[in-house]
């Protein structure tokens, strides 16, 4: 057992170093969310703030509070998308397949399950590091424009980063199990980067989508991950707004911007959202184990 743990440790470190050794890949993984953030601030921040002001119907709100609301909403969007896009673009399994390095591992005296899950674990670590860097940047930004997050909110955000990254990592490694082409990998990464933010409600509130799309997104686990980020980033701001603005108006703003989420007419509690995402992680883990066993048996 100790020997297998050491093998798993060294394989994970090897995969982890391989990812960060390619500085261009790491920089792209980090810069892409930052570019997205800059685009958000440049083109969408004012639009969101105008929407909030329209809902206030002439009521006054402090500049710090308004900046805090828009900033928190933007960073929750960036974190939500990054947990998935970074996981899909930072895996070393597909790189080893392309370079034929996986052949050496397959003939080595190491359990194939250790090799498979060392890829998963190193991918998870890489994704979390990038997302935690983004979280620190977000907290610094909010500290400048208006910070209302509690310690509990920050902890829940970190937990959600871990669970969301795990979900995306397991899903990515399941997909990579069936491909060994650089072109397919690039195509999937591009597709995920382009579409994911829209279908999980990261780029635009789900309430602004059509009815059919709202129903579709309600069955996607990462929709609940996005909503958790919304709540942890915006709960403090929402409560602060209630001190000077009628509660019914604030609640309407919260619902419009997905801070509160309803599955049909049922309000989904944050604990239920965590259970949903964790359940899907377990399903994907079981699926990955079954796929790995079947493919190794076939080989």
């Amino acid at each position: 057992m100790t020997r297998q743990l050491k093998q798993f440790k060294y394989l994970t470190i090897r995969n982890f170093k391989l990812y960060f050794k390619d500085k261009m890949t790491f920089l792209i993984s980090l810069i892409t969310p930052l570019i997205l953030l800059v685009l958000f601030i440049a083109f969408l921040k004012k639009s969101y703030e105008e929407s909030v002001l329209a809902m206030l119907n002439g009521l006054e709100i402090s500049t710090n509070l308004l900046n805090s609301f828009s900033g928190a909403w933007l960073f929750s969007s960036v974190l939500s998308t990054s947990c998935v896009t970074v996981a899909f673009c930072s895996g070393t399994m597909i790189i080893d397949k392309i370079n034929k390095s996986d052949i050496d591992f397959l003939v080595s005296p190491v359990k194939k399950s250790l090799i498979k899950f060392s890829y998963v674990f190193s991918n998870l670590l890489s994704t979390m590091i990038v997302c935690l860097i983004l979280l620190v940047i977000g907290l610094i930004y909010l500290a400048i424009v208006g910070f209302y997050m509690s310690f509990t909110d920050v902890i829940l955000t970190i937990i959600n980063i871990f669970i969301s990254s795990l979900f995306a990592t397991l899903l990515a490694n399941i997909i990579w199990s069936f491909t060994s082409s650089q072109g397919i990998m690039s195509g999937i990464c591009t597709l995920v980067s382009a579409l994911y933010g829209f279908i999980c409600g990261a780029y635009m509130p789900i309430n602004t989508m059509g009815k059919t799309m709202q129903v579709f997104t309600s069955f996607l686990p990462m929709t609940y991950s996005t909503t958790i980020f919304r709540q942890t980033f915006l709960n403090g701001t929402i409560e602060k707004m209630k001190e000077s603005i009628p509660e019914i108006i604030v609640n309407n703003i919260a619902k419009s911007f997905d801070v509160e989420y309803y599955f049909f007419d049922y309000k989904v509690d944050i604990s239920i959202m965590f259970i949903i995402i964790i359940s899907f992680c377990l399903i994907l883990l079981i699926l990955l184990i079954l796929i790995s066993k079947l493919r190794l048996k076939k080989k």
Side-chain angles (χ1 to χ4, degrees):
M1 186 65 179
T2 304
R3 181 169 176 268
Q4 290 181 351
L5 286 175
K6 284 184 177 179
Q7 289 174 339
F8 179 77
K9 172 187 172 183
Y10 291 132
L11 284 169
T12 302
I13 292 173
R14 176 259 178 193
N15 296 333
F16 187 74
K17 286 183 176 179
L18 187 63
Y19 168 67
F20 283 99
K21 183 179 180 181
D22 188 348
K23 294 180 174 58
M24 185 57 65
T25 302
F26 170 67
L27 287 175
I28 290 174
S29 299
L30 184 59
I31 290 174
T32 302
L34 292 177
I35 293 174
L36 179 62
L37 179 62
V38 172
L39 293 174
F40 263 130
I41 294 175
F43 297 103
L44 295 177
K45 181 176 181 291
K46 187 176 180 180
S47 175
Y48 295 145
E49 291 177 352
E50 288 176 351
S51 297
V52 172
L53 292 173
M55 292 181 193
L56 291 176
N57 198 23
L59 294 173
E60 291 187 1
I61 182 173
S62 68
T63 303
N64 281 353
L65 203 53
L66 188 60
N67 286 334
S68 174
F69 184 92
S70 60
W73 204 92
L74 296 176
F75 270 101
S76 65
S77 299
V78 172
L79 268 180
S80 175
T81 55
S82 297
C83 287
V84 175
T85 55
V86 174
F88 269 82
C89 299
S90 64
T92 53
M93 179 200 295
I94 191 70
I95 296 174
D96 280 346
K97 280 187 174 184
I98 293 169
N99 296 331
K100 305 299 182 183
S101 302
D102 61 320
I103 297 175
D104 296 331
F105 288 125
L106 290 174
V107 298
S108 64
V110 181
K111 289 185 68 173
K112 305 306 176 282
S113 58
L114 290 180
I115 298 172
K116 171 69 72 174
F117 285 97
S118 69
Y119 285 127
V120 175
F121 193 62
S122 62
N123 194 355
L124 175 62
L125 287 177
S126 302
T127 304
M128 283 202 63
I129 286 175
V130 174
C131 290
L132 288 174
I133 291 173
L134 292 173
L135 175 61
V136 171
I137 294 172
L139 295 178
I140 293 173
Y141 176 83
L142 292 178
I144 295 171
V145 301
F147 189 89
Y148 299 99
M149 293 177 68
S150 66
F151 178 75
T152 302
D153 290 332
V154 175
I155 296 300
L156 288 175
T157 301
I158 295 173
I159 293 173
N160 194 36
I161 287 174
F162 170 74
I163 298 173
S164 302
S165 299
L166 177 60
F167 173 86
T169 298
L170 291 170
L171 181 60
N173 280 271
I174 287 174
I175 295 174
W176 299 153
S177 297
F178 295 97
T179 182
S180 57
S181 166
Q182 178 71 52
I184 294 176
M185 177 187 176
S186 300
I188 291 175
C189 288
T190 302
L191 188 65
V192 169
S193 300
L195 291 181
Y196 174 75
F198 289 102
I199 63 176
C200 74
Y203 295 163
M204 56 188 293
I206 295 173
N207 283 300
T208 62
M209 300 179 183
K211 192 67 178 179
T212 303
M213 195 63 185
Q214 289 184 33
V215 173
F216 173 71
T217 56
S218 65
F219 289 95
L220 299 177
M222 291 308 288
T223 298
Y224 299 96
S225 168
T226 302
T227 307
I228 291 173
F229 280 125
R230 297 272 190 259
Q231 291 191 4
T232 56
F233 268 89
L234 284 160
N235 273 340
T237 305
I238 293 294
E239 291 303 315
K240 187 68 176 178
M241 289 171 69
K242 289 179 180 179
E243 295 179 6
S244 56
I245 301 169
E247 186 172 341
I248 188 171
I249 295 177
V250 177
N251 289 339
N252 185 41
I253 293 172
K255 186 176 180 180
S256 298
F257 281 88
D258 298 335
V259 183
E260 295 179 357
Y261 188 77
Y262 290 82
F263 183 78
F264 294 90
D265 292 324
Y266 174 75
K267 183 179 178 180
V268 185
D269 187 73
I270 190 171
S271 59
I272 301 298
M273 295 182 195
F274 273 118
I275 291 172
I276 291 171
I277 304 172
I278 292 171
S279 299
F280 272 92
C281 286
L282 291 174
I283 292 171
L284 289 180
L285 178 60
I286 293 170
L287 187 60
L288 180 61
I289 292 172
L290 291 175
I291 290 172
S292 300
K293 286 186 176 181
L294 289 173
R295 290 183 67 80
L296 287 173
K297 186 177 180 180
K298 185 178 179 180
K299 287 183 180 181

